[in-house]
Amino acid sequence: MRPTRCLLPALSALLLLSACGSERADTRADGVGGGGGSGSTPVTGVTRPAVDGVRITSVTVPTTRPSAGVTGSPGATGGGLVRAEGLPTGGPGDSGVSAAYEVTNSGTRTLTYTVRFDFTTSAGEVMGDQRVTVRSVGAGRTVRGTVRQGAPVPGASRVTTVRVGEVTKIPAAEAPAEAGVCPPSGVRLTADDGDAAMGLRVVGLVLENCGERDYVLDGYPQVSLLDEDHEPVEGVRVLKGSGGIATVAGFDDPPRPVTLKPGRRASAGLMWRNTTGSGTAVDVPYVRVRARSGAEPVMLTPHLDLGTTGRLGVGPWHAAAR
């Protein structure tokens, strides 16, 4: 699997419950607030600055493990606020640890954000993480929500800290369709988590025909590499096939037309090495992919750590097994 790469400075992302400048809510008789006796739920306000537009506003860590049926959901109040998607809702075994957050788009385009929240011990050891996708945040708008840890791993150390681990943001019009939703193009394009071995990296592209008509592919996906500002990355050759990077099954097969019936899938791949020699290592956070010439672009976030190799291989489309 590809290694997780945090693109944000850990120091600015760290949000400690006991952080300097944080404020603890007053204890109330119903057990909501800070401190308190058995069964109370300490809620700690957080005043650390936002990380790439994402700010944790408070963290809740129960002093006792909650009973079954604990629930949580994002808030959506006030002007310009919308509901975030994909939040865990609690349940049996839920740790009860949660963080309230805000996502503010200070840019000029509507963006879709994906945020990884890390749940850690006071020593910084990550006990779990949750990814939240917040779609279509308009320019100047703010989205508020809540993310929960969910069920902890048996025997895991106690979580006392929540931090923003990674933030990616892409133009909403190019965001991959969410699960269960078929975009107007009739095809859904996604990337898998990838695989890694001895410095070789491979990420799979998957195209699903979720529409009602056949969809014909014409060889290779069209790939553009983009930096953190969504500008083209210079100095990297995008090669058809393996380009001599490594011998991987399917990468150097001759391209053939692929006709996808509704409900069928095709796959292709990206391949590179993360070798670092002389020069400056290149990291590519975003990849714009068109399934075929003239297709609507989809921006993916495979985080390519290309090292100083300057090469990326792109395999042809193959019909996937049923």
Side-chain angles (χ1 to χ4, degrees):
M1 300 295 292
R2 68 179 177 88
T4 300
R5 289 174 291 281
C6 180
L7 303 181
L8 304 173
L11 182 59
S12 62
L14 189 63
L15 300 166
L16 298 176
L17 297 183
S18 59
C20 177
S22 65
E23 296 179 358
R24 184 173 295 278
D26 294 335
T27 303
R28 301 192 330 208
D30 59 7
V32 178
S38 176
S40 65
T41 305
V43 180
T44 302
V46 177
T47 58
R48 292 295 181 96
V51 176
D52 220 11
V54 181
R55 184 171 74 91
I56 294 178
T57 57
S58 66
V59 177
T60 301
V61 179
T63 56
T64 59
R65 190 169 300 282
S67 60
V70 176
T71 60
S73 61
T77 59
L81 301 182
V82 298
R83 185 182 180 91
E85 67 175 66
L87 303 181
T89 57
D94 193 315
S95 69
V97 179
S98 65
Y101 65 85
E102 293 181 346
V103 178
T104 299
N105 180 2
S106 58
T108 59
R109 297 184 295 176
T110 299
L111 299 174
T112 287
Y113 292 73
T114 298
V115 186
R116 191 190 78 235
F117 294 96
D118 292 337
F119 294 78
T120 77
T121 66
S122 58
E125 183 181 3
V126 177
M127 293 291 102
D129 61 62
Q130 295 287 352
R131 289 185 183 271
V132 175
T133 297
V134 186
R135 293 184 178 272
S136 300
V137 183
R141 300 185 71 191
T142 295
V143 174
R144 293 181 183 139
T146 302
V147 62
R148 303 183 68 90
Q149 180 191 12
V153 176
S157 300
R158 183 172 182 265
V159 168
T160 60
T161 303
V162 184
R163 69 186 183 192
V164 178
E166 180 181 89
V167 179
T168 58
K169 50 188 179 182
I170 61 181
E174 297 186 39
E178 58 186 302
V181 175
C182 189
S185 65
V187 292
R188 183 186 297 112
L189 180 63
T190 57
D192 64 22
D193 290 332
D195 199 2
M198 300 296 291
L200 180 66
R201 307 282 193 259
V202 177
V203 167
L205 305 178
V206 178
L207 185 74
E208 178 187 1
N209 183 354
C210 54
E212 299 178 351
R213 300 179 179 180
D214 291 356
Y215 192 85
V216 179
L217 297 168
D218 55 3
Y220 297 89
Q222 298 183 356
V223 173
S224 301
L225 308 184
L226 307 175
D227 63 16
E228 292 184 354
D229 298 319
H230 304 151
E231 296 295 331
V233 173
E234 305 293 340
V236 177
R237 291 182 295 160
V238 178
L239 308 169
K240 292 182 178 180
S242 69
I245 296 171
T247 301
V248 175
F251 262 80
D252 289 312
D253 290 350
R256 295 184 176 92
V258 176
T259 299
L260 293 182
K261 298 291 185 181
R264 297 300 302 274
R265 297 183 178 186
S267 62
L270 308 178
M271 178 172 59
W272 72 99
R273 289 193 181 275
N274 70 338
T275 307
T276 300
S278 59
T280 302
V282 175
D283 291 314
V284 178
Y286 302 102
V287 176
R288 178 178 283 131
V289 180
R290 287 179 169 85
R292 64 186 185 187
S293 179
E296 292 295 321
V298 176
M299 194 177 296
L300 304 175
T301 57
H303 303 294
L304 311 181
D305 56 339
L306 300 176
T308 56
T309 61
R311 293 185 296 170
L312 175 71
V314 180
W317 288 114
H318 293 87
R322 288 183 182 275

